[in-house]
Amino acid sequence: MKEHLDKFIHYCLYLYHEPVAELAELLVRITPGNYEKKVVIGLSGGDANDTALKAALMFTRRPNIASFTYSYHGTTALGVAVSGSFSPELRNAIPLHGVYFLEYPDTYRCAEGIEDPDECGEYYLSKIEKFFRRNVAGESFAALIIEPVQGDGGVLIPPENFMRGIRKITKEYGMILIDDEVQTGMGRTGKLFAIEHYNIVPDLVVLGKALGGGMPVSAVVGRKDVLESAPPQTFFATSAAHATSVVGSIAAVKYVLENNLADRAQYLGSYALRRLNELKEKYEVVGDVRGVGLMLGVDIVKSKKTKEPDRITALKIIWRAWEKGLVMMTYGKYGNVLRIAPPLTISEEDLENGFEIIEDSIRDVIRGVVPDEVIKYMAAWE
Ligand SMILES: Cc1ncc(COP(=O)(O)O)c(C=O)c1O
């Protein structure tokens, strides 16, 4: 990026520049699917999801969109409308019709007390099949947008049969399958793209966050015929595909590829899960630990038996961890999941230091070291 600054910062509007062509070629090559692709570069995960949805609506000329409960897709108007993690009051303030929320499988708290992940996947799949057959016709849906691992929902990892079933249903009804990899992409889950864990190929892949390596770069990569149906002027933004930022993105993508960071995430993630499972054995408040690669969650509960979420204890744990020098967040549909997503380049030593702080913090909170008053300082985590 430093070298590029001496050439030009950005040129927008009527001409392409070399960096954007190079990034597009790279993304076409590394994303799943051997069909003819196109790429649209944007500025944030949210605007890329907007582009993907817009293209699917224009391509199919159908009115409806399917999304999932507790999903998060961004803060554009369409992003808010399709994000199941926003309250219905907020979503309804944007009176877009035709967005339907399907239930995303939660194998830890599966409905009907189902314990087996495959059975859980099957259960939710059959509900979705019925929905498209009996409630709202599958043929009226332009797109189904899904996170291949739900992040803000609390690291929910859908069973393989569920994801394969979703691909089958979307094909059957001619819906565009939009794979939101903004959080899971670029190696985070131990594969370059999380959808690869299920051996399915989506129609559009949406990328953001790590794609830019710290710069504001997002992308939709996928079926040429779908993306061409939204003419360029409908997804143009003056600073999108910002040349200097795109140079940063190319460097980041190459770094991920050349240093096999997906494999590294897989390797460190297996160690992390083992370590987190030790915490689960030891502490009653650790109800479940979940993870794929370096996308990890610790579900804090009042009791292992009831699995009742304990958001206050989770908040106290991250408060204590912060006092000890480790920044963590909570997320999840009940706000009780410790979010662990270290950089894929983290050293083994730093990772272990992090786990030691997490364990100390859990112990301190159980001992009552952290007072209730701290909760009021954590408004941002609500
Ligand atoms: C799965 C997912 N999609 C979309 C977004 C929105 O991305 P951005 O904040 O860059 O608009 C996020 C951000 O957290 C996300 O996790």
Side-chain angles (χ1 to χ4, degrees), residues 171-335:
K171 274 212 173 122
E172 201 175 301
Y173 291 114
M175 295 173 209
I176 302 305
L177 177 59
I178 302 175
D179 171 26
D180 180 348
E181 299 260 3
V182 171
Q183 199 167 135
T184 50
M186 309 318 300
R188 161 99 6 227
T189 69
K191 294 213 184 264
L192 216 38
F193 305 103
I195 201 89
E196 293 171 305
H197 288 287
Y198 312 104
N199 283 318
I200 59 175
V201 176
D203 298 304
L204 300 175
V205 178
V206 180
L207 301 171
K209 289 193 193 287
L211 173 68
M215 301 306 288
V217 180
S218 64
V220 185
V221 190
R223 276 174 52 188
K224 181 173 183 252
D225 53 347
V226 177
L227 287 175
E228 275 187 343
S229 57
Q233 57 271 36
T234 62
F235 50 77
F236 169 79
T238 304
S239 306
H242 183 269
T244 311
S245 303
V246 163
V247 168
S249 172
I250 294 166
V253 175
K254 284 188 175 164
Y255 191 91
V256 169
L257 297 174
E258 284 161 16
N259 293 281
N260 295 321
L261 289 193
D263 290 348
R264 183 172 169 75
Q266 173 78 46
Y267 163 75
L268 291 178
S270 320
Y271 162 76
L273 259 190
R274 272 200 309 278
R275 191 71 176 76
L276 290 174
N277 269 306
E278 283 169 23
L279 302 185
K280 184 171 145 187
E281 303 264 296
K282 277 200 220 165
Y283 303 103
E284 181 66 13
V285 298
V286 179
D288 190 30
V289 297
R290 304 184 277 274
V292 51
L294 279 177
M295 184 164 175
L296 302 148
V298 180
D299 201 309
I300 302 296
V301 294
K302 292 200 168 138
S303 105
K304 279 194 164 67
K305 191 159 181 291
T306 64
K307 301 182 181 177
E308 191 185 336
D310 189 348
R311 183 166 169 273
I312 298 295
T313 299
L315 287 176
K316 286 183 175 179
I317 294 168
I318 62 166
W319 174 272
R320 189 65 173 152
W322 171 71
E323 285 182 323
K324 290 171 183 285
L326 176 72
V327 176
M328 252 192 314
M329 297 257 300
T330 62
Y331 62 4
K333 47 185 163 177
Y334 311 107

